[in-house]
Amino acid sequence: MRVPSKDYGRQYAALWSELGPAIERALHGDEPILGAATSSFETEFADFVGSRFAVGVGSGTDALILSLRALGVGAGDEVITAANTFMATVTAIATVGAHPVLVEPDPTSLCLDMARVEGAISSRTRAVIPVHLYGRLCDMQALHEICAERDIDVVEDAAQAHGARIGGQCAGAFGRLGAFSFHPSKNLGCFGDGGAITTNDCTLAEDLRQLRNLGKRGKHKFLHIAPNSKLDTIQAVILRCKLPYLDAWNARRREIARLYHEGLSELSAIELPELPRDEEHVFHLFAIHVDRREELCDHLSRQGIRGGLHYPIPPHLQQASRSLPYRPGDFPITERCAERELSLPISPELDDDQIAAVIDAIRVWCTSSSASSVTA
Ligand SMILES: *Cc1c(COP(=O)(O)O)cnc(C)c1O
């Protein structure tokens, strides 16, 4: 049975009776950029997150870059983030000229370890970017307590956590700013690049509207040197159509995570991600840890099951990071995850039979590979 990691075709087919006509109307309109669709989506997304404002931008990476710019973070400043994040978080910090200070995650949740964040704070620390990795919220209460008294800003990297909640509060509504990606692979994705920044701060929202649009105010005045990074009408139309389904899709992801736990928890060769009880984890990824993961990945792919690696080379070991003061061995938890992580298919379009096929294939591999290691 074929089990893709994403099934965009199946998702769009299910939405087409609504989405097709909406795209057609947009194409017949005269607002390709910064029109009513984008501003309606911004209002709806802000409501969903529970923040006062949302500003649509060109990507999740730009959402992070523009957030840091709006806060005035730049050369000489330090920004603390997770060593085990996706490269874009580090790229954003370096792009504004600030210095990325990486810290190890908690080994169980894989989210920022707040004791290490506190230990990494210096007189130059301007901001912390917690990354809600794989859809699980960082301990935002603890982070708030660390940052508030020191006047350090919090910018959430919520690119993997649309709709993740704890105590009813949503990812993107905890920090001063929340940065989202709508890359097609994310829990809420458009058909291209897109992103948004959420905030309760009216002045920051206004600055962000200028910063995404060449630093422009009104028609002819340019106040800042800034990029051109807007969420276009077609992407906004797609996102408006999908947003009402997001909570149900996230619930389906949790259901699939539960099925994986039922089917795989007794296998000693496989470490599963926790199913947190008191929060709504949105399982952007279901990342297991396993020795010989390439072997398991090949075994799955021979049966049409697509696993993924997130992320085999951590940011501090990327060539792009060669000017940072980090070496192999500096982040053992992160590096061990990078060697052993394998993501199982978890998109909400997958049906129970497909998930059962993944579970069966892994059980077969565990049985035969433990048999072969006994004979070896
Ligand atoms: C996807 C992602 C980004 C970047 O988003 P893009 O829209 O691809 O630029 C940033 N941070 C994390 C954690 C991500 O997963």
Side-chain angles (χ1 to χ4, degrees):
M1 183 181 308
R2 201 179 76 88
V3 188
S5 67
K6 306 276 172 325
D7 200 340
Y8 300 133
R10 202 184 268 191
Q11 191 189 48
Y12 280 103
L15 295 172
W16 193 246
S17 60
E18 272 174 76
L19 183 55
I23 290 181
E24 196 173 349
R25 278 194 301 280
L27 292 175
H28 285 106
D30 58 358
E31 292 185 327
I33 301 172
L34 292 187
T38 298
S39 56
S40 300
F41 173 68
E42 288 172 336
T43 307
E44 290 155 9
F45 191 65
D47 279 352
F48 176 86
V49 169
S51 61
R52 285 180 64 203
F53 307 99
V55 178
V57 296
S59 71
T61 307
D62 281 351
L64 289 164
I65 292 171
L66 296 175
S67 293
L68 294 172
R69 289 258 336 240
L71 295 172
V73 176
D77 295 330
E78 292 179 354
V79 178
I80 298 172
T81 194
N84 62 328
T85 186
F86 176 56
M87 185 64 195
T89 322
V90 176
T91 300
I93 298 167
T95 299
V96 302
H99 187 75
V101 174
L102 304 178
V103 296
E104 287 267 62
D106 173 89
T108 307
S109 69
L110 300 184
C111 287
L112 268 186
D113 178 335
M114 296 310 164
R116 290 180 203 261
V117 170
E118 199 157 14
I121 289 173
S122 80
S123 58
R124 296 176 160 200
T125 307
R126 279 291 318 280
V128 177
I129 305 185
V131 182
H132 306 308
L133 199 74
Y134 307 154
R136 180 166 188 174
L137 285 166
C138 293
D139 185 346
M140 295 306 290
Q141 179 64 37
L143 183 61
H144 179 74
E145 281 160 22
I146 291 168
C147 293
E149 64 185 37
R150 298 177 172 90
D151 210 17
I152 294 172
D153 284 317
V154 173
V155 177
E156 291 174 71
D157 183 339
Q160 303 190 356
H162 320 67
R165 294 185 187 90
I166 185 159
Q169 195 172 350
C170 208
F174 293 90
R176 184 122 186 256
L177 295 159
F180 288 87
S181 165
F182 303 124
H183 182 278
S185 67
K186 309 292 182 179
N187 291 32
L188 177 64
C190 52
F191 207 76
D193 281 310
I197 302 153
T198 51
T199 185
N200 287 327
D201 185 320
C202 166
T203 311
L204 282 176
E206 198 43 51
D207 290 348
L208 287 164
R209 288 195 192 98
Q210 294 166 7
L211 288 172
R212 72 172 169 188
N213 191 15
L214 289 164
K216 195 156 80 149
R217 188 167 71 197
K219 239 186 161 158
H220 301 291
K221 286 195 176 155
F222 296 86
L223 308 189
H224 313 281
I225 299 294
N228 178 9
S229 180
K230 300 179 292 247
L231 183 70
D232 69 56
T233 295
I234 295 294
Q235 306 309 339
V237 166
I238 292 171
L239 292 165
R240 288 191 75 196
C241 174
K242 289 186 179 185
L243 183 59
Y245 301 99
L246 178 58
D247 279 332
W249 288 337
N250 285 338
R252 174 64 186 158
R253 287 174 183 270
R254 278 192 290 278
E255 169 69 11
I256 295 174
R258 203 185 51 72
L259 293 172
Y260 279 141
H261 264 261
E262 269 174 31
L264 301 173
S265 59
E266 79 208 34
L267 302 173
S268 58
I270 310 278
E271 286 164 40
L272 300 176
E274 274 188 331
L275 297 179
R277 271 208 231 136
D278 53 350
E279 72 178 67
E280 290 175 54
H281 188 321
V282 293
F283 284 100
H284 171 60
L285 297 174
F286 189 88
I288 65 171
H289 291 100
V290 59
D291 294 330
R292 296 187 289 146
R293 61 116 182 257
E294 270 76 18
E295 214 178 274
L296 175 54
C297 194
D298 291 346
H299 167 81
L300 295 176
S301 87
R302 279 194 295 277
Q303 295 169 66
I305 298 167
R306 272 295 286 279
L309 305 185
H310 302 89
Y311 301 93
I313 308 173
H316 72 286
L317 300 181
Q318 295 289 350
Q319 194 179 336
S321 304
R322 61 194 172 278
S323 65
L324 302 183
Y326 298 120
R327 307 240 139 347
D330 282 351
F331 300 107
I333 301 171
T334 296
E335 290 170 33
R336 188 168 153 79
C337 288
E339 284 161 16
R340 299 178 73 240
E341 192 275 351
L342 176 65
S343 303
L344 305 184
I346 194 161
S347 63
E349 295 74 44
L350 298 173
D351 59 39
D352 287 2
D353 290 343
Q354 288 172 301
I355 302 307
V358 179
I359 291 169
D360 283 346
I362 295 174
R363 295 179 70 93
V364 166
W365 181 79
C366 284
T367 316
S368 64
S369 70
S370 69
S372 63
S373 60
V374 170
T375 32

